[in-house]
Structures are given as structure tokens and as C-alpha cells.
Amino acid sequence: MPDSKLGDAVSYTLNQWDYLTRYTEDGRMPIDNNLLERDIRIFATGRKSWLFSDTVDGATASAVVYSLMLTCRAAGVEPFAWLSHVLAELPLRADDADIGDLMPFNFAKAAADD
């Protein structure tokens, strides 16, 4: 029956079929988004703790910090070690210096070379 809950579910599945099967076209894509869901859950559950982000600048700063911490996780870098390195290195750099080498994924490469 098309107007039943089961009919709605089947209709939704058919309408989303291209998205639901996209992972079969590109082996780099995961079959689900569980990894992403796990990563953002910590932010979703801590919303009340972050009421200080009541301005655009506060929200932007929070987003930058969260992104860098998740980049550490994705690169297999211990966030405290990376942050300690960056905070020690930044004062030694010129204001207009390229700091791309301080990104977490480059820190992982530098640590592997040592």
C-alpha cells in the first residue's frame, strides 16, 4: 500500500537509491557514515557546555579548534603533543610565515621521519 508507513519507507529508499549505493561506485567511500557520526557526537552532546560561543567570533574559534582536534585524530596524532609543538614553534615564526607544515597531518610525517 503506497500510503502506508511501509510504502513510505520503500518509496523513500527508491528515491534515495543513487545515494544509498554510491559507495559501490567508489571503493574509497565507506558503506555508512558511522565514523563521521561518532566524530560529531561529542560536539552534539556538549552543546550546553559551549554556550560561550554566543558570538560569530566565538563560534568560529570553536569550529577551528574542533576541526584541528579531529584532524589530529584522522592523522593518528596525539592532540596534546601536536598542540605543544605548535605553541612552541609559532612564536619563532614571522607573522607572515607559511605555517602549513604545522598542520597535524604534516606533524605525523615529521614525527615519522625523526
Side-chain angles (χ1 to χ4, degrees):
M1 308 273 295
D3 293 331
S4 68
K5 290 195 182 259
L6 180 59
D8 289 343
V10 170
S11 178
Y12 176 82
T13 301
L14 292 175
N15 289 334
Q16 301 297 316
W17 192 253
D18 288 341
Y19 302 113
L20 293 169
T21 60
R22 186 164 291 157
Y23 74 94
T24 63
E25 299 164 9
D26 185 345
R28 297 173 298 172
M29 297 182 86
I31 193 170
D32 58 34
N33 67 347
N34 289 341
L35 182 63
L36 177 62
E37 291 285 340
R38 186 195 73 209
D39 284 346
I40 65 173
R41 183 176 299 121
I42 53 178
F43 302 119
T45 57
R47 272 181 237 160
K48 288 187 180 185
S49 300
W50 302 319
L51 292 176
F52 64 87
S53 293
D54 60 348
T55 65
V56 172
D57 288 342
T60 301
S62 294
V64 168
V65 171
Y66 304 149
S67 295
L68 288 169
M69 294 303 104
L70 290 177
T71 302
C72 283
R73 180 189 290 176
V77 171
E78 200 281 309
F80 185 76
W82 171 77
L83 193 56
S84 295
H85 171 73
V86 169
L87 292 177
E89 185 68 28
L90 276 176
L92 305 176
R93 306 272 180 115
D95 289 343
D96 60 346
D98 179 21
I99 57 172
D101 62 308
L102 296 178
M103 292 299 292
F105 43 83
N106 290 328
F107 181 74
K109 291 176 190 171
D113 292 342
D114 289 343

